[in-house]
């Protein structure tokens, strides 16, 4: 018996791409959502830094920030952003179409949106290779990763594609007691550094190993991330009402 499909060609393409590559990169459907997010971040950053009416460039934030004050600034900014329900709504709305396609329309959203700022040549803000499920996340979650600037090469993140992940599974089990540097060195030749521009979103499978390395570019990286999952799919250690 032939089963009818009511998915559009675009929806079928996105699903196939996600399964094959472990991620999709898409333009944000409503640019206003993104502009609201970026305006709020710049406004709150200037307030925290006592920047007055001067212009503030995210790409060149390293001219104002240093590795010594970066984390305190980032935490203050995250706290300010997460107090705003409108900010969270804009983040969800920016990814809604693609989330509905990949995960469904009954969703649990992470309570706090995370912010990452990576200054050029700064080794203090690295996220070593990891898979979120290794630390208790549900394999049914996806991450919506939103750059606030163009991200490329070492200014971006990397991910190990599904096809390569399978070939490394035996190595992972053998390296449980090794450090993250040793683990990264075993997959280094197979990881993919993602090129993603401001105004786009990345939705990726957080069960795949991913992370970043020292930003060797001449600009500061700003990105945000937030986890989503089907409301009724199994949870890991991070429960509804606590983390979601």
């Amino acid at each position: 018996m032939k089963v009818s499909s009511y998915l559009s060609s675009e929806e079928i393409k996105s699903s196939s791409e996600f399964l094959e590559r472990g991620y999709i990169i898409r333009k944000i459907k409503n640019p206003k959502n993104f502009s609201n997010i970026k305006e709020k971040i710049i406004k709150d950053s200037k307030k925290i830094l006592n920047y007055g009416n001067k212009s503030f460039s995210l790409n060149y934030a390293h001219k104002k920030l240093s590795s010594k004050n970066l984390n305190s600034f980032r935490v203050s900014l995250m706290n300010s952003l997460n107090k705003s329900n409108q900010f969270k709504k804009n983040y969800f709305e920016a990814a809604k179409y693609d989330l509905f396609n990949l995960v469904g329309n009954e969703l649990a959203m992470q309570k706090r949106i995370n912010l990452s700022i990576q200054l050029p040549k700064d080794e203090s803000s690295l996220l070593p290779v990891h898979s979120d499920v290794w630390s208790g996340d549900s394999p049914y979650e996806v991450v919506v990763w939103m750059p606030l600037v163009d991200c490329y090469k070492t200014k971006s993140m990397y991910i190990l594609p599904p096809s390569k992940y399978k070939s490394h599974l035996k190595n992972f089990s053998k390296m449980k007691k090794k450090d993250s540097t040793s683990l990264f060195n075993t997959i280094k030749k197979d990881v993919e550094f993602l090129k993603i521009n401001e105004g786009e979103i990345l939705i990726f499978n957080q069960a795949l190993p991913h992370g970043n390395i020292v930003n060797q570019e001449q600009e500061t990286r700003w990105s945000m991330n937030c986890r989503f999952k089907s409301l009724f799919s199994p949870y890991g250690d991070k429960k509804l009402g606590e983390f979601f």
Side-chain angles (χ1 to χ4, degrees), residues 130-192:
H130 66 288
S131 163
D132 293 3
V133 297
W134 295 347
S135 56
D137 283 82
S138 166
Y140 295 92
E141 298 168 20
V142 299
V143 176
V144 174
W145 197 88
M146 183 185 296
L148 299 160
V149 292
D150 292 348
C151 293
Y152 54 91
K153 296 181 180 177
T154 61
K155 191 188 172 190
S156 188
M157 61 164 278
Y158 62 79
I159 190 168
L160 185 67
S163 59
K164 302 295 183 181
Y165 176 63
K166 292 174 184 176
S167 66
H168 283 286
L169 274 176
K170 288 184 179 179
N171 288 336
F172 292 149
S173 60
K174 293 176 184 177
M175 298 186 69
K176 287 180 179 178
K177 296 183 180 179
K178 298 287 185 178
D179 59 30
S180 57
T181 301
S182 299
L183 180 56
F184 177 70
N185 286 335
T186 67
I187 65 172
K188 187 176 180 180
K189 62 181 176 56
D190 292 325
V191 301
E192 181 181 356

Side-chain angles (χ1 to χ4, degrees), residues 77-129:
L77 181 55
M78 276 182 57
N79 288 338
S80 177
L81 298 174
N82 280 291
K83 287 178 182 176
S84 169
N85 286 329
Q86 185 60 47
F87 184 85
K88 296 174 186 176
K89 182 180 179 182
N90 278 319
Y91 200 95
F92 165 68
E93 291 282 349
K96 180 171 72 172
Y97 174 84
D98 297 293
L99 279 171
F100 281 6
N101 180 34
L102 293 176
V103 188
N105 61 4
E106 294 177 301
L107 295 169
M109 178 180 180
Q110 184 177 337
K111 282 186 170 184
R112 284 176 61 83
I113 298 171
N114 295 318
L115 172 69
S116 174
I117 306 172
Q118 200 176 4
L119 309 178
K121 309 293 191 298
D122 180 22
E123 297 184 5
S124 69
S125 53
L126 295 182
L127 191 61
V129 60

